[in-house]
């Protein structure tokens, strides 16, 4: 009876209040750069960026990302779903079915306050009974303070060594506990998910991990994207094809003075591109109306330090993200 009452309270508050606060997310518009259309030969992609299977679905679940308040009339009193709130939520997680190694995790936040709190990502094995995160932590990322959390496009969490995963795992965001510090993870719109809910929230007061659909009566997926060398098993898509948009890689990779990002659109579209570093700082951006076919974007790298960088390609039907390296 107590558990049902708790779930009723959660469902009543999250409702999710269809009037809940929404972030217009998309990448912030930036000046148009030079798009070069030609044919080249990208090297094979050596890393995968996993996405929930709802991304790129016919209802375009990943083109209207949002974050929700638990009470649209008093968000500062109740907090945020998939973030800090009065119910004491400490983590949220997205489950994936894959085997291999994870080197980084990208998280899209819609909101943050404070500067001194600590956030991180933990990878969990899956409990055979509950189907959610187990008590076994496979790996913990380096800490990112709330001051360093970026809202556009992603905050990057790195591991000191790649973490091995087998069959299935959950990538969980750990929220700050410092008073006054708050984060909120972006999700798909309500109802966008697979039949098997992949999103979870940790409520220690209510017994630990709760499946989002069981807790709130509604399904969705979270923008928590593992990056690594992974073989998909079931239930997820890799990052390289979605709703008429395909990534074909970057070359040269590693690069020095420039790299060409190659992709294909199956119909005329407005294509936006953003290149960003590990801190989420946007380094290059472009937007152009393109015809159906294969295109390339030449990105200048002369002033960048050696290291790993990410790029996101977006149309009105989906978003894809991958990375390349700069060598000096």
């Amino acid at each position: 009876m107590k558990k049902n009452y708790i779930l009723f309270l959660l469902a009543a508050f999250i409702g999710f209040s269809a009037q809940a606060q929404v972030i217009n997310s998309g990448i912030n518009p930036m000046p148009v750069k030079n798009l070069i259309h030609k044919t080249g030969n990208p090297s094979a992609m050596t890393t995968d960026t996993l996405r929930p299977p709802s991304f790129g679905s016919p209802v375009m679940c990943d083109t209207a990302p949002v974050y929700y308040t638990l009470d649209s009339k008093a968000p500062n009193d109740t907090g945020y779903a998939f973030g800090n709130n009065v119910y004491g939520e400490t983590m949220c997680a997205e489950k994936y079915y894959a085997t291999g190694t994870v080197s980084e995790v990208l998280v899209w936040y819609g909101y943050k306050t404070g500067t001194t709190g600590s956030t991180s990502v933990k990878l969990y094995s899956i409990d055979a009974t509950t189907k959610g995160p187990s008590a076994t932590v496979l790996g913990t990322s380096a800490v990112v303070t709330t001051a360093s959390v970026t809202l556009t496009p992603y905050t990057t969490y790195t591991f000191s060594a790649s973490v091995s995963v087998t069959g299935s795992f959950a990538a969980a965001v750990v929220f700050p506990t410092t008073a006054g510090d708050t984060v909120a993870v972006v999700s798909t719109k309500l109802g966008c998910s697979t039949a098997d809910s992949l999103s979870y929230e940790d409520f220690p007061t209510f017994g630990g991990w709760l499946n989002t659909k069981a807790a709130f009566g509604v399904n969705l997926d979270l923008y928590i994207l593992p990056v690594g060398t992974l073989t998909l098993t079931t239930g997820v898509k890799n990052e390289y094809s979605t709703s008429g948009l395909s990534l074909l890689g970057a070359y040269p990779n590693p690069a020095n003075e420039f790299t060409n990002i190659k992709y294909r659109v199956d119909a005329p579209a407005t294509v936006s591109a953003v290149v960003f570093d590990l801190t989420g700082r946007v380094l290059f951006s472009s937007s152009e109306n393109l015809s159906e076919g294969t295109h390339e974007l030449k990105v200048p790298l002369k002033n960048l330090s050696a290291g790993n960088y990410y790029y996101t390609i977006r149309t009105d039907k989906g978003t894809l993200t991958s990375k390349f390296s700069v060598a000096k």
Side-chain angles (χ1 to χ4, degrees), residues 14-22 67-73 190:
I14 289 236
F16 249 157
S17 138
Q19 299 105 11
Q21 197 68 28
V22 175
Y67 71 96
Y68 293 97
T69 65
L70 298 186
D71 184 342
S72 61
K73 295 180 180 179
L190 297 179

Side-chain angles (χ1 to χ4, degrees), residues 32-323:
V32 174
K33 303 292 183 179
N34 184 31
L35 282 170
I36 295 182
H37 314 293
K38 60 181 181 178
T39 300
N41 297 298
S43 58
M45 290 186 175
T46 58
T47 59
D48 301 296
T49 304
L50 299 187
R51 304 174 297 126
S54 63
F55 287 26
S57 70
V59 292
M60 296 184 291
C61 286
D62 58 332
T63 61
V66 297
Y67 71 96
Y68 293 97
T69 65
L70 298 186
D71 184 342
S72 61
K73 295 180 180 179
N76 294 327
D77 293 338
T78 54
Y80 296 87
F82 314 109
N84 298 92
N85 57 58
V86 295
Y87 295 110
E89 184 179 349
T90 62
M91 291 183 281
C92 65
E94 188 75 13
K95 182 169 69 174
Y96 290 92
Y97 296 92
T99 294
T101 59
V102 176
S103 56
E104 297 131 298
V105 174
L106 306 180
V107 178
W108 192 346
Y109 291 101
Y111 180 81
K112 74 165 186 175
T113 59
T115 58
T116 60
S118 297
T119 68
S120 61
V121 166
K122 291 185 177 181
L123 301 182
Y124 287 89
S125 63
I126 300 301
D127 186 285
T129 301
T130 67
K131 309 302 182 183
S134 72
T136 302
V137 178
L138 303 174
T140 302
S141 75
V143 166
V144 175
T145 65
T146 48
S148 298
V149 165
T150 181
L151 305 185
T152 305
Y154 293 104
T155 296
T156 305
Y157 292 87
T158 59
F159 298 87
S160 57
S162 293
V163 180
S164 295
V165 296
T166 303
S168 60
F169 68 99
V173 176
V174 181
F175 306 141
T177 57
T178 303
D181 282 49
T182 300
V183 296
V185 176
V186 169
S187 75
T188 59
K189 60 186 179 182
L190 297 179
C192 275
S193 66
T194 57
D196 176 18
S197 182
L198 302 178
S199 55
Y200 289 81
E201 295 162 276
D202 184 34
F203 293 98
T205 304
F206 302 149
W209 289 102
L210 293 177
N211 175 280
T212 299
K213 186 174 183 179
F216 302 137
V218 66
N219 238 340
L220 47 72
D221 285 316
L222 299 171
Y223 277 78
I224 305 173
L225 313 181
V227 179
T229 303
L230 297 151
T231 300
L232 308 179
T233 52
T234 184
V236 299
K237 300 175 182 178
N238 68 18
E239 182 72 357
Y240 304 126
S241 182
T242 179
S243 299
L245 172 66
S246 300
L247 287 185
L248 303 177
Y251 73 98
N253 186 17
N256 189 316
E257 294 192 354
F258 69 91
T259 192
N260 295 293
I261 296 171
K262 190 172 184 177
Y263 58 91
R264 183 177 64 250
V265 289
D266 293 347
T270 299
V271 180
S272 299
V274 172
V275 176
F276 56 100
D277 64 15
L278 291 174
T279 69
R281 180 169 59 101
V282 175
L283 306 170
F284 177 94
S285 63
S286 68
S287 180
E288 189 173 20
N289 296 323
L290 298 178
S291 61
E292 174 187 349
T294 298
H295 304 276
E296 293 186 9
L297 171 63
K298 186 173 184 177
V299 181
L301 307 173
K302 186 175 181 180
N303 296 324
L304 298 185
S305 302
N308 292 325
Y309 296 86
Y310 298 93
Y311 59 94
T312 290
I313 306 294
R314 174 184 289 271
T315 70
D316 63 349
K317 294 183 178 180
T319 304
L320 299 177
T321 300
S322 192
K323 73 175 185 177

